[in-house]
Amino acid sequence: MNHTELITAAENFAKEQLGQDTTGHDWFHTNRVRNTAALIAGMEGANVVICTIAALLHDVADEKLNPSKEAGLLKVQTWLAAHLPDEAANEQIIEIIETMSFSGGGGAPMSTLEGQAVQDADRLDALGAIGITRTMVFSGAKGRPVYDPEIAPRDESLKEEYRNYSKGTAVNHFYEKLLKLKDLMNTSYGKQLAEERHQFMLIFLEQFYKEWNQGAE
Ligand code: ADP
Ligand code: NI
């Protein structure tokens, strides 16, 4: 199998596995992560094929789509063993997916440049206009409120104080996670892309509060 055939096969596998997902890990998320990962890989000198395959498969192993993390990982391992004879590449891809899905936001650092590019791409998809949309959709799907002025801190310094009861609004998720992601980016090109998306979220929040409070003050 050449690279193009391998990538097409991985695309088909991901589409088939993620097609029905409504938890924010649908095929379009995977496809965006794959494109952004390849873009970052190109800029940073990482192996584009490894990044593309890892990005395409990164959510197939997700806990939410499988009986357990181990079962999800095994599914990816089985697929790779059948499609990619290069053992070193195979192991590297598994390691990327494993580290990404097991450590989530703040765990072990990615050990390879390829892993760093794919993790950056996944994080970027939680930022900017796409990130705002995914957050609102996720909250709606969970039946959570968009915002509650009584419980959602506008000021980052109030976060600890409100931690116990501000959990759960969509707007609070920005303070809880999204606004912290730009400082967790691995690659310099990833950082650059995150900066623009971060600024867009700040503008969104400012406008959100302005509209929310208009005429009320
Ligand atoms: P990842 O793609 O890194 O695995 P998650 O599974 O945590 O991310 O989340 C998928 C999407 O849902 C992301 O865009 C994320 O911002 C959003 N999301 C996750 N947790 C929450 C939450 N508590 N409130 C609102 N949105 C959330
Ligand atoms: Ni993802």
Side-chain angles (χ1 to χ4, degrees), residues 25 29 64 122 134-135 138-139 144 173 176-178:
H25 298 104
H29 160 69
K64 299 181 203 79
D122 196 31
R134 289 179 78 211
T135 298
F138 181 99
S139 289
R144 294 177 184 161
H173 189 60
E176 211 164 59
K177 182 173 174 190
L178 308 184

Side-chain angles (χ1 to χ4, degrees), residues 24-26 29-30 33 55 58-59 62 100 118 121-123 125 134:
H25 298 104
D26 55 285
H29 160 69
T30 283
V33 173
H58 88 278
D59 272 341
D62 195 277
M100 275 178 74
V118 179
D122 196 31
R123 285 177 171 158
D125 210 55
R134 289 179 78 211

Side-chain angles (χ1 to χ4, degrees), residues 81-128:
H83 293 83
L84 181 59
D86 179 342
E87 226 167 272
N90 203 310
E91 272 170 28
Q92 195 191 346
I93 293 167
I94 285 291
E95 201 229 329
I96 293 171
I97 296 172
E98 195 173 7
T99 315
M100 275 178 74
S101 63
F102 279 69
S103 68
M110 303 305 288
S111 66
T112 62
L113 181 57
E114 286 72 22
Q116 292 177 359
V118 179
Q119 187 176 54
D120 278 1
D122 196 31
R123 285 177 171 158
L124 281 162
D125 210 55
L127 303 182

